[in-house]
Amino acid sequence: MATNRKSTSNGVASLAADTLFKPGSSHIARKLAGSALSQSNTNRQTGAKMEDLASKVLRSDRYSERTKTLAGSVLSQSNKKR
Protein backbone atom coordinates (compact mmCIF):
# COMPACT_ATOMS: atom_id res chain seq x y z
CA MET A 1 0.00 0.00 0.00
CA ALA A 2 1.36 3.42 -0.96
CA THR A 3 1.55 5.55 2.13
CA ASN A 4 1.13 9.27 2.24
CA ARG A 5 3.85 10.84 4.38
CA LYS A 6 2.22 14.26 4.69
CA SER A 7 1.29 15.55 8.13
CA THR A 8 -0.71 18.49 9.43
CA SER A 9 1.19 21.78 9.38
CA ASN A 10 1.61 23.83 12.54
CA GLY A 11 -0.78 26.49 11.22
CA VAL A 12 -3.55 24.01 10.48
CA ALA A 13 -2.92 22.22 13.80
CA SER A 14 -3.39 25.54 15.58
CA LEU A 15 -6.60 26.19 13.61
CA ALA A 16 -7.80 22.68 14.50
CA ALA A 17 -7.11 23.21 18.21
CA ASP A 18 -8.97 26.54 18.14
CA THR A 19 -11.89 24.85 16.39
CA LEU A 20 -12.11 22.14 19.03
CA PHE A 21 -12.15 24.66 21.89
CA LYS A 22 -14.47 27.20 20.24
CA PRO A 23 -17.99 26.69 21.66
CA GLY A 24 -19.77 27.56 18.40
CA SER A 25 -17.89 25.11 16.18
CA SER A 26 -20.06 22.74 14.17
CA HIS A 27 -19.99 18.97 14.61
CA ILE A 28 -18.46 18.57 11.14
CA ALA A 29 -15.73 21.14 11.86
CA ARG A 30 -14.91 19.37 15.12
CA LYS A 31 -14.63 15.99 13.39
CA LEU A 32 -12.28 17.43 10.78
CA ALA A 33 -10.26 19.25 13.43
CA GLY A 34 -9.85 16.06 15.44
CA SER A 35 -8.68 14.18 12.38
CA ALA A 36 -6.23 16.93 11.44
CA LEU A 37 -4.79 17.04 14.96
CA SER A 38 -4.43 13.26 15.12
CA GLN A 39 -2.28 13.47 11.99
CA SER A 40 -0.01 16.21 13.29
CA ASN A 41 3.64 15.06 13.48
CA THR A 42 2.71 11.43 12.69
CA ASN A 43 2.56 9.16 9.66
CA ARG A 44 -1.15 8.47 10.15
CA GLN A 45 -3.41 8.68 7.12
CA THR A 46 -7.00 9.77 6.72
CA GLY A 47 -9.52 6.92 6.81
CA ALA A 48 -12.04 6.33 4.03
CA LYS A 49 -15.04 7.73 5.95
CA MET A 50 -13.22 10.92 6.93
CA GLU A 51 -11.91 11.26 3.39
CA ASP A 52 -15.49 11.10 2.09
CA LEU A 53 -16.66 13.70 4.63
CA ALA A 54 -13.80 16.07 3.76
CA SER A 55 -14.56 15.72 0.07
CA LYS A 56 -18.24 16.59 0.63
CA VAL A 57 -17.29 19.65 2.68
CA LEU A 58 -14.98 20.94 -0.04
CA ARG A 59 -17.69 20.52 -2.71
CA SER A 60 -20.37 22.31 -0.66
CA ASP A 61 -21.12 26.02 -0.35
CA ARG A 62 -22.51 25.55 3.18
CA TYR A 63 -19.19 25.50 5.05
CA SER A 64 -16.85 28.28 6.10
CA GLU A 65 -13.34 28.78 4.76
CA ARG A 66 -12.06 27.64 8.17
CA THR A 67 -13.88 24.31 7.86
CA LYS A 68 -12.76 23.93 4.26
CA THR A 69 -9.14 24.52 5.29
CA LEU A 70 -9.42 21.65 7.76
CA ALA A 71 -11.09 19.48 5.13
CA GLY A 72 -8.33 20.20 2.62
CA SER A 73 -5.65 19.25 5.10
CA VAL A 74 -7.41 16.04 6.05
CA LEU A 75 -8.00 15.13 2.41
CA SER A 76 -4.39 15.79 1.43
CA GLN A 77 -3.31 13.17 3.96
CA SER A 78 -5.45 10.38 2.55
CA ASN A 79 -4.21 7.09 1.18
CA LYS A 80 -2.74 7.60 -2.29
CA LYS A 81 -4.38 4.44 -3.67
CA ARG A 82 -7.96 5.58 -2.88
Side-chain angles (χ1 to χ4, degrees), residues 44-60:
R44 292 182 179 172
Q45 296 182 63
T46 302
K49 288 182 183 179
M50 192 57 66
E51 183 180 325
D52 185 50
L53 175 66
S55 176
K56 287 178 182 175
V57 166
L58 288 173
R59 286 184 271 136
S60 175

Side-chain angles (χ1 to χ4, degrees), residues 25-63:
S25 296
S26 71
H27 180 68
I28 299 288
R30 287 176 189 264
K31 283 178 114 174
L32 292 167
S35 180
L37 275 179
S38 74
Q39 296 172 44
S40 181
N41 297 319
T42 67
N43 286 331
R44 292 182 179 172
Q45 296 182 63
T46 302
K49 288 182 183 179
M50 192 57 66
E51 183 180 325
D52 185 50
L53 175 66
S55 176
K56 287 178 182 175
V57 166
L58 288 173
R59 286 184 271 136
S60 175
D61 293 333
R62 293 179 51 198
Y63 300 98

